[in-house]
Amino acid sequence: MKFSIERAALLKAVSQAQSVVERRNTIPILANVLMEAADAEVSFRATDLDIEVVDKTPAQVERAGATTVSAVILNEIVRKLPDGALVQLSEEPATGRLTVSAGRSHFSLATLPKEDFPVMASSEYASNFSCKAPALRRLFDKSKFAISTEETRYYLNGVYMHVADAEGGKVLRCVATDGHRLARVDADLPEGAETLPGVIVPRKTVGEMRKLLDDDEATIAVSVSETKVRFATPGITLTSKVIDGTFPDYTRVIPTGNTRKLEVDAAEFASAVDRVATVSSERSRAVKLQLDEDRLVLSVNAPDSGAAEEELAVAYGDERLEIGFNAKYLLEIASQVDRENAVFLFNSSGDPTLMREGNDTSAVYVVMPMRV
């Protein structure tokens, strides 16, 4: 195998591959990236047995072939090469080494046979549809903060993507929750997605898939089966197993009868919460909200470190309310608001609180209160 490729193109492909590779693994071949050169393009394939990414990049192929080499080492080498360098990679089957050359730099890397590399079995997908990158990006960016990190409740360790009924008809919906907060985000249902089986997309897959969505013009081909999900652009294909479990009935925890309405500038609210939370104890991070007519007082009282208070002018016309929240959860939820004011809907100090952006019901957040 022998090919030449521009440094920037090689770095993009190899960095995508090495981020899938698990740092600690007991199977040596899983630390490697499989490079296959043929017909003026090279494919880079990496896997951790749950996720597989394949990145196809144009290159000048002199001799077709395939080999595997350490993804992390190759990524570090390419990253340290000068910008604009032309990188030549060649493998001599006799020596079992991959030579990487650029300018006056030469590296000889150990390889492992390509036959040992595990390739994810292809499967039949029940649903295939296309979705614009900005729509997918919004669905996952606005919901992923609520993914649980508790290993025991593994079915919450991802984003539940499914078709749901909303006021205007069927929508493509992403939901994530950890039991303390919940995010529910809707998008228009793409053509062909009607048969989508509800799947839980794992946290790591969400992170890797996010890298495909930076280009606003890109269209992502999404394929879903009961056990796998695949996201593909013309150059990159990401295939992942989905979490084998049942996502809980989240509709039961989204309050519908909350009538006390607070409207506040989201950025001002987030900065004020951040400021008063500075003195809160690391363990509880509790912030108290005192609501009176058109006025909100945020306060923290931590006996061992001090107290803080800040007043905000808000739109609130209901009876007086005192309620406490974890500051981190409030900050994360407030940071999801892009355009308008944040609208909080309360019931009582012990009930879940709903937050949305202005009158937009396509993204709804729920946060549980704390005793303060």
Side-chain angles (χ1 to χ4, degrees):
M1 180 182 80
K2 186 175 186 183
F3 65 91
S4 307
I5 187 169
E6 222 270 300
R7 171 193 174 266
L10 180 60
L11 182 61
K12 181 172 167 292
V14 175
S15 65
Q16 176 94 33
Q18 68 93 32
S19 67
V20 168
V21 167
E22 282 294 334
R23 288 285 185 276
R24 304 181 298 276
N25 61 49
T26 49
I27 309 170
I29 194 89
L30 290 183
N32 282 15
V33 54
L34 170 64
M35 295 185 289
E36 298 173 292
D39 307 336
E41 76 170 11
V42 181
S43 76
F44 297 84
R45 186 186 296 265
T47 184
D48 66 357
L49 296 182
D50 288 328
I51 305 177
E52 177 186 77
V53 66
V54 183
D55 194 324
K56 292 192 161 98
T57 306
Q60 297 163 350
V61 178
E62 288 179 44
R63 197 167 61 240
T67 189
T68 81
V69 67
S70 165
V72 174
I73 293 174
L74 183 60
N75 183 57
E76 284 299 296
I77 288 172
V78 179
R79 193 173 60 79
K80 293 171 183 176
L81 289 175
D83 266 349
L86 186 68
V87 187
Q88 193 173 60
L89 294 94
S90 62
E91 190 217 13
E92 295 304 328
T95 58
R97 295 264 160 178
L98 177 78
T99 308
V100 181
S101 314
R104 296 181 183 179
S105 309
H106 301 282
F107 304 87
S108 175
L109 305 179
T111 61
L112 286 171
K114 65 176 190 294
E115 292 75 22
D116 296 350
F117 195 86
V119 174
M120 204 177 254
S122 59
S123 58
E124 290 295 314
Y125 292 101
S127 174
N128 297 282
F129 60 93
S130 294
C131 195
K132 287 269 183 245
L136 267 185
R137 189 168 66 213
R138 176 178 175 274
L139 278 173
F140 284 95
D141 276 3
K142 285 185 175 295
S143 57
K144 66 183 181 189
F145 74 91
I147 296 175
S148 171
T149 50
E150 273 183 58
E151 294 300 323
T152 47
R153 299 164 78 187
Y154 63 92
Y155 49 84
L156 297 182
N157 295 162
V159 173
Y160 181 44
M161 179 171 75
H162 60 297
V163 176
D165 291 309
E167 289 163 14
K170 289 199 178 304
V171 291
L172 179 61
R173 176 174 288 176
C174 282
V175 179
T177 182
D178 63 358
H180 303 289
R181 62 249 158 100
L182 176 143
R184 189 201 79 193
V185 190
D186 294 348
D188 293 338
L189 188 66
E191 206 176 309
E194 298 81 14
T195 56
L196 174 79
V199 289
I200 306 170
V201 184
R203 167 200 298 279
K204 183 175 174 182
T205 308
V206 172
E208 291 304 322
M209 183 262 294
R210 179 64 185 77
K211 297 171 188 171
L212 311 183
L213 305 180
D214 286 328
D215 177 8
D216 281 353
E217 300 303 311
T219 299
I220 313 294
V222 185
S223 306
V224 184
S225 73
E226 296 283 349
T227 55
K228 289 203 185 97
V229 59
R230 187 177 71 193
F231 300 95
T233 65
I236 302 173
T237 304
L238 176 75
T239 312
S240 165
K241 291 180 182 169
V242 298
I243 293 174
D244 181 16
T246 306
F247 201 79
D249 179 9
Y250 61 87
T251 52
R252 293 214 319 271
V253 299
I254 298 178
T256 50
N258 288 14
T259 51
R260 299 177 177 185
K261 181 178 173 184
L262 156 73
E263 192 163 339
V264 57
D265 180 290
E268 276 181 26
F269 177 73
S271 335
V273 170
D274 201 18
R275 280 191 289 272
V276 297
T278 314
V279 298
S280 66
S281 65
E282 202 49 52
R283 200 168 52 84
S284 74
R285 301 288 311 267
V287 173
K288 183 156 83 174
L289 280 66
Q290 289 164 291
L291 283 157
D292 266 326
E293 193 165 326
D294 290 347
R295 142 173 194 268
L296 164 66
V297 177
L298 296 163
S299 62
V300 167
N301 194 355
D304 45 352
S305 54
E309 186 174 292
E310 181 161 341
E311 190 174 314
L312 288 175
V314 297
Y316 180 75
D318 288 287
E319 61 212 64
R320 197 165 183 278
L321 175 70
E322 283 194 7
I323 189 167
F325 292 104
N326 180 316
K328 175 171 170 271
Y329 298 164
L330 277 187
L331 283 173
E332 282 180 336
I333 282 180
S335 68
Q336 303 306 319
V337 177
D338 303 325
R339 301 181 302 278
E340 301 184 45
N341 288 345
V343 172
F344 287 88
L345 294 164
F346 304 97
N347 187 26
S348 74
S349 59
D351 293 320
T353 293
L354 194 78
M355 195 281 279
R356 60 170 196 249
E357 218 175 313
N359 291 322
D360 180 11
T361 54
S362 71
V364 169
Y365 308 93
V366 180
V367 59
M368 296 299 287
M370 281 176 82
R371 280 207 188 90
V372 283

